[in-house]
Amino acid sequence: MLLYLLPFALVAGLGWYFSDVLLRPVRGSYLPETVRATTRGEVWLDRGRWAELPGTWGLRWAGGSTLVGPVIGTGAGVVRRGLVDPVGPVPPPGARAALDAGLVAADPAELGLPFETVAVPAPLGECPAWLVPADGRTWVVAVHGRGADRRECLRVLPTLHRLGHPVLAVSYRNDADAPPSPDGRYHLGDTEWTDLAAAVGYARAHGAGAVVLYGWSMGAAIIGAYLDRAVPEAASVRAVVWDSPLLDWRATLRQQGRVRRLPGALTWTATRLTARRIGIDFDRFDLLTRPPAVRPPTLVLHGDADTAVPAGPSRRLAGLAGALGWTVEYREFPGAEHTAAWNTDARRYEAEVARFLAEHAPR
């Protein structure tokens, strides 16, 4: 009898493990790349899919960080990328490193932008946020994705500042510098949206006449929950920008299961366990069948090579938007990985954002 039960116990145990990976707040740095050499303004990395991704990326290691440009060449098991700042810091040969879609700057000041750190009074306590002032009255509230932090918005900050939008880059529960949730787990947008509600309230109390919500990855799920549940306050949202948005948790978990080559039964088990552990209703996070109550004009930017959050739901949302009474513009970036559309084609990315905001949310 026990032998018959063993496969079920194994699937349940592995499902619990992958559910735990999803719900556990991310801490520490994962450094999967190896630096083979640095020479003549270049860095050489072991060949691999991530090391060969197109565009401009941050490169961080235990002792520092820098920016690397597009691939210069490959051969002999290495990929060569140019250093954007050839006289800046470089990793030593043999160092473990990671390519980072976010800029390596620590805060807006390193981009030449004035800012202050403010405290947003959220339900579990104060959540710090960066406030980058500008002359306009339409504020952008920027919401990073799961496992990231406020640095995720640094790539687009200069564009938003040039357009005259004050920016509030927020944190939320379980961030390293924000209060933990009572159970110490991510709730995948199901509770984090209340921290966003507090941030929007802060913006309105400090001069915002209207708000743009800008979210990356799980930040989009948080924004979607806010637009659905924070009525009538969400009426102040004039427009939304989503980068690699998580529009359907089930589709995302299936995608990540395929990438990890997990059996479908294991992904299904992990999804069911996750829903039970945190009490989330995944139906409410399928924005194609359950669109939010408030649907401002929305710009969706997604890479067709995204292995973390599939682009399919973004494409389908754009196709369904008219029937949903929702203005959705979809822009796809060939070859771009998760939240890396800017890295792949910064000029096009910034032009799309500037055009969309000028039309739907002028300063």
Side-chain angles (χ1 to χ4, degrees):
M1 182 66 178
L2 290 177
L3 288 177
Y4 288 108
L5 294 176
L6 186 59
F8 297 100
L10 180 61
V11 168
L14 290 172
W16 184 275
Y17 170 78
F18 286 110
S19 170
D20 208 51
V21 170
L22 177 66
L23 299 179
R24 187 189 316 126
V26 177
R27 297 285 185 266
S29 296
Y30 176 52
L31 304 174
E33 312 295 341
T34 300
V35 176
R36 290 305 175 195
T38 52
T39 177
R40 297 188 302 277
E42 299 178 10
V43 61
W44 295 13
L45 305 169
D46 278 341
R47 288 196 67 175
R49 182 176 179 278
W50 283 89
E52 296 180 52
L53 285 172
T56 299
W57 291 73
L59 182 72
R60 53 183 172 81
W61 61 97
S65 59
T66 190
L67 278 177
V68 295
V71 172
I72 296 172
T74 59
V78 299
V79 55
R80 298 163 44 219
R81 305 188 76 119
L83 294 166
V84 173
D85 180 6
V87 297
V90 295
R96 301 294 296 177
L99 289 164
D100 189 338
L103 294 182
V104 295
D107 57 44
E110 293 191 16
L111 303 179
L113 299 175
F115 85 103
E116 61 177 312
T117 300
V118 300
V120 172
L124 297 182
E126 293 184 344
C127 289
W130 290 334
L131 175 56
V132 181
D135 294 335
R137 295 194 66 243
T138 300
W139 287 36
V140 175
V141 178
V143 190
H144 67 77
R146 176 188 171 277
D149 57 35
R150 283 166 283 171
R151 293 185 310 113
E152 192 148 51
C153 78
L154 289 174
R155 288 165 287 180
V156 77
L157 264 185
T159 298
L160 298 175
H161 189 73
R162 185 179 72 251
L163 295 172
H165 293 287
V167 178
L168 187 68
V170 306
S171 62
Y172 49 81
R173 61 193 64 195
N174 292 314
D175 282 358
D177 52 357
S181 60
D183 60 6
R185 300 182 185 128
Y186 288 127
H187 281 240
L188 311 182
D190 202 33
T191 58
E192 291 85 354
W193 74 269
T194 62
D195 299 332
L196 172 58
V200 173
Y202 180 97
R204 295 301 305 275
H206 289 79
V211 171
V212 172
L213 298 180
Y214 202 130
W216 290 259
S217 191
M218 192 178 87
I222 294 171
I223 290 170
Y226 170 81
L227 292 173
D228 193 50
R229 306 181 199 185
V231 180
E233 291 82 2
S236 68
V237 178
R238 187 169 291 175
V240 171
V241 180
W242 279 338
D243 184 323
S244 307
L246 202 159
L247 305 178
D248 179 351
W249 265 115
R250 290 192 183 97
T252 296
L253 294 175
R254 287 194 298 269
Q255 164 94 343
Q256 296 191 3
R258 286 191 294 269
V259 169
R260 292 173 171 83
R261 299 181 180 178
L262 302 179
L266 184 54
T267 302
W268 181 87
T269 300
T271 303
R272 293 293 296 271
L273 285 171
T274 297
R276 181 163 295 187
R277 291 177 73 185
I278 63 173
I280 190 173
D281 179 359
F282 281 128
D283 287 343
R284 299 189 75 180
F285 285 86
D286 180 351
L287 299 191
L288 282 73
T289 60
R290 293 276 296 272
V294 177
R295 303 166 204 170
T298 300
L299 173 64
V300 178
L301 308 155
H302 213 136
D304 68 358
D306 193 329
T307 58
V309 175
S314 291
R315 296 184 190 120
R316 291 195 294 274
L317 177 62
L320 292 170
L324 298 174
W326 194 350
T327 298
V328 176
E329 298 184 24
Y330 178 63
R331 301 292 181 266
E332 190 161 287
F333 286 73
E337 247 292 357
H338 189 51
T339 69
W342 180 93
N343 305 76
T344 303
D345 192 342
R347 181 175 297 181
R348 179 190 171 203
Y349 185 103
E350 292 169 1
E352 293 285 5
V353 170
R355 176 201 54 77
F356 177 79
L357 293 181
E359 180 179 351
H360 295 287
R363 51 178 287 182

